[in-house]
Amino acid sequence: MWLKDSSIGRKLLMSISGLFLVLFLTFHLSMNVVAIFSEEGYNMICEFLGANWYAVVGTLVLVAGFLLHIAYAFYLTFQNRKARGNDRYAVTARPKGVAWASQNMLVLGIIVVLGLALHAYQFWAKMQLVELQHMAGAEVCTKYAADGVYYMKEYFTNPIFLVLYLVWFGALWFHLTHGFWSAIQTIGWNNLVWLKRWKAISNVYATIICAGFAVVALWFAFVA
Amino acid sequence: MDKTINITLKVWRQRGPKEAGKFETYKLNNVSTDSSFLEMLDILNEQLVNEDKEPVVFDNDCREGICGMCSLYINGHPHGPDSEITTCQLHMRRFKDGDTITIEPWRSAGFPVIRDLMVDRTAYDKIIQAGGYISVNAGGAQDANAIPIPKRDADLAMDAASCIGCGACVAACKNGSAMLFVSAKVSQLALLPQGKVEAARRAKAMLAKMDELGFGNCTNTGACEAECPKGVSITNIARLNREFISAKLKD
């Protein structure tokens, strides 16, 4: 299968799974922003998603996308380090025009995954997971399972968690500024005119996404 | 009057592909700033020979930036600190008195060191042999104007064809990927009517050979483009991706 046996195929898997995750971030942000305008509205979304079959299927597809993206990140990095050879350069310099993020995507990705683990523990494990456990007949407290606002207030008013989340969004921003246009380039939708445009679109989009998440976190830390 | 500088060189010395290499430090005095980088190395070698030491082995040929033989990684940059020139076009006026210059070979699994600063770049020849050509019946050449080609395509093909196959893209790439070279060689033909006939087969064959020879996966850092002595654009890589993916989807 050329998707896994050729270098462009493997990169295409990274690209498509990455774009899928970008799409997910867009949905996630749209939901979060609701919480600023209406806390009841946000909890209605939590209720609507909950552990309904479509939300569970969505979560599974999402997890598959994450796993594919992460597994290939490590696999490709391993191959790339091998291709670099055994002797490392004694002196290295980052050439002009090469973004720092582009050369540190794995490190940034690891920070994003660590943040994701914290986030899943703080929200997913207390919301969808609790509902699933409840449906399975386990003895769990479901009082806050669909009360996302309760958890946002609880965590974001804690300065340590707030800073951790902001660092997470920062790493995500760097990851997206390279990842978005790079995914387009890998698919082949690029030329001399669009190269600069895609890079600009990446920067704008990454800023909208990450600033959006940060604004919601800060809103619950200081305003709500 | 000639201006001269005194410099210190840290040069990678390695006796063979399987042997461990290390840096040797040499002092070189009164180097004319008008001399080219390779002339400076010639002076170093003359000095070493006079001291009954082994001269430093490095690749070079035309010394005018068109053959692609010279290949030094100087102070962290393939072909040195200047942009869009080859090592042989680099001059000592670019350096200051008292500078320490670190000279390394291309480091990549695809380009094993033969000796000192000379690496084996036959991998590139193998990639070209896999598909970097067009098949035509020999015979009298037809009139050049018989096949109309849009100016834009002709220019893009010419820009891609300016690749001299020196390997700086692989040397610069943190992934040891040869995508800029392969994409330039695919693009220069894929853009022209004569090359379109075999475009799908070419993209698949050249990429398969590149993967087989142990080059890495492109992550679009753009270091290759930044260090390319001919300024070959990474948009060629997008074209290669396009050619390859559409060829595979048609299979």
Side-chain angles (χ1 to χ4, degrees), chain A residues 7 11 80 83-84 90 182 188, chain B residues 104 107 109 171 211 217-218 220 242:
Chain A
S7 57
K11 288 300 301 172
N80 292 346
R84 205 71 192 82
S182 178
Chain B
E104 302 174 69
R107 296 195 196 276
D211 290 344
N217 308 289
C218 173
N220 307 318
R242 215 151 57 219

Side-chain angles (χ1 to χ4, degrees), chain B residues 54 124 129 139 157 159 172 208 230 239 243:
Chain B
E54 284 280 337
Y124 268 14
Q129 283 158 10
D159 287 346
K230 299 298 165 186
R239 186 177 297 103
E243 293 278 331

Side-chain angles (χ1 to χ4, degrees), chain A residues 15-37:
Chain A
S15 152
I16 303 288
S17 56
L19 287 176
F20 168 68
L21 296 177
V22 168
L23 202 63
F24 160 70
L25 286 175
T26 314
F27 281 126
H28 199 315
L29 176 65
S30 335
M31 289 187 269
N32 287 13
V33 170
V34 171
I36 292 186
F37 299 102

Side-chain angles (χ1 to χ4, degrees), chain B residues 167-181:
Chain B
C169 42
V170 171
C173 178
K174 78 179 181 66
N175 309 321
S177 172
M179 284 287 272
L180 192 65
F181 167 77

